Amino acid sequence: MAGKNRLPRSLSLKSRVEIAGLLKEGRRFPGNYFTLVWMPAEEFKYGVFLSKQTGSAVERNRLKRLFREAVRLNRSHLDKTGKLALLPGKQANNKEFNEINADVGRMFERLNRET
């Protein structure tokens, strides 16, 4: 499944220390279906984090796939490098990909303007 358009695993946030620091010190931008947490850094890294309250494992995994795909498609519109976390809320359940993708695109544009 290797291809040009994939987001490499090296771009995902994996370290508990990195994730905790981002969630504690990062700037929050509320969106329609998720909250974006942003912190400037030398390289782009991202993560999608969900609570068990969001739904069953199947629903959480589906949302993670949708949000990762939206980040992949909209990453080129982000002018800055940094760490970002996407925190989908319950309102993201049962949403179509087009709605989620548009919301991620709007949030990246807002991030470009405000930081």
Side-chain angles (χ1 to χ4, degrees), residues 17-92:
V17 173
E18 276 185 316
I19 294 167
L22 172 61
L23 294 176
K24 183 178 180 183
E25 299 172 13
R27 187 168 169 202
R28 293 178 182 262
F29 297 91
N32 294 335
Y33 306 120
F34 70 99
T35 300
L36 185 139
V37 183
W38 169 261
M39 186 166 57
E42 291 183 17
E43 63 180 338
F44 176 81
K45 286 199 172 202
Y46 77 100
V48 180
F49 307 105
L50 293 155
S51 162
K52 286 190 176 181
Q53 296 174 349
T54 307
S56 68
V58 172
E59 293 169 331
R60 291 192 307 271
N61 288 334
R62 177 182 175 273
L63 281 176
K64 285 181 191 179
R65 284 193 307 272
L66 293 177
F67 276 95
R68 281 194 303 258
E69 179 67 6
V71 168
R72 183 186 74 81
L73 292 174
N74 289 294
R75 187 173 72 136
S76 61
H77 303 298
L78 192 59
D79 297 336
K80 300 168 179 10
T81 59
K83 297 176 186 175
L84 64 93
L86 302 171
L87 308 171
K90 289 181 184 179
Q91 65 274 23

